[in-house]
Amino acid sequence: MAYLGMGLFAVLTVIAGFHVYWGLGGLWPAASEPELVRTVVGDANGQMMPGRGATLVVAFLVFSAGLVALARNAALPGLIAWIPFLGSWVLSFVFLVRGAFTYLAAAGTLAWPYPLAEPFRTLDQMIYAPLCLGIGASFLVLALKGGAASA
């Protein structure tokens, strides 16, 4: 189980790093801001990335999720042990819903709040959503490993 928590921490830290990079004005994997919007946000009408503050908040939240995965393997005292225990359940739900949303939207059951652009639509179905489902399933495994006392 320790390797699962460390692996999740590593993956989420890399994802958080991308968000910090974008929040500070980086454009990779695109050549321009409108292209980056179409690639990582998916808004077909968007010309600008979300603001620096919002992007850095997302980076902080993603990194914090990684800390929850890491803490799930730590021997934490008393009530503090409940934070990563409950966090694992919440994060499992969040990531599984995000991953499933892609396929429900593709099936016409749900809709994105804006028209989706390429290459986001393809990347979402091939990379982003499966990654979210994998992260969500991993958090579920961490959540199921036992109560807060066995963290």
Side-chain angles (χ1 to χ4, degrees):
M1 252 351 125
Y3 292 119
L4 180 60
M6 289 186 292
L8 267 176
F9 174 75
V11 168
L12 291 168
T13 298
V14 169
I15 294 169
F18 280 126
H19 284 82
V20 169
Y21 171 74
W22 294 325
L24 297 177
L27 294 176
W28 186 88
S32 67
E33 190 170 5
E35 183 183 341
L36 185 62
V37 170
R38 288 188 304 275
T39 303
V40 301
V41 177
D43 187 351
N45 301 320
Q47 296 298 306
M48 293 177 51
M49 286 291 286
R52 175 177 290 172
T55 306
L56 293 177
V57 165
V58 170
F60 172 77
L61 292 173
V62 171
F63 182 74
S64 297
L67 291 177
V68 167
L70 204 56
R72 196 62 184 111
N73 296 311
L76 299 172
L79 292 177
I80 295 173
W82 285 95
I83 296 169
F85 174 69
L86 292 175
S88 295
W89 282 105
V90 169
L91 290 165
S92 174
F93 176 78
V94 167
F95 280 101
L96 288 172
V97 166
R98 166 53 185 94
F101 187 88
T102 292
Y103 302 110
L104 292 172
T109 308
L110 298 171
W112 284 93
Y114 46 78
L116 286 184
E118 286 295 347
F120 178 85
R121 182 185 306 268
T122 300
L123 290 170
D124 190 38
Q125 290 180 356
M126 296 179 67
I127 298 171
Y128 307 151
L131 182 60
C132 285
L133 290 171
I135 291 169
S138 297
F139 271 114
L140 182 59
V141 169
L142 290 178
L144 291 172
K145 84 173 205 173
S150 70

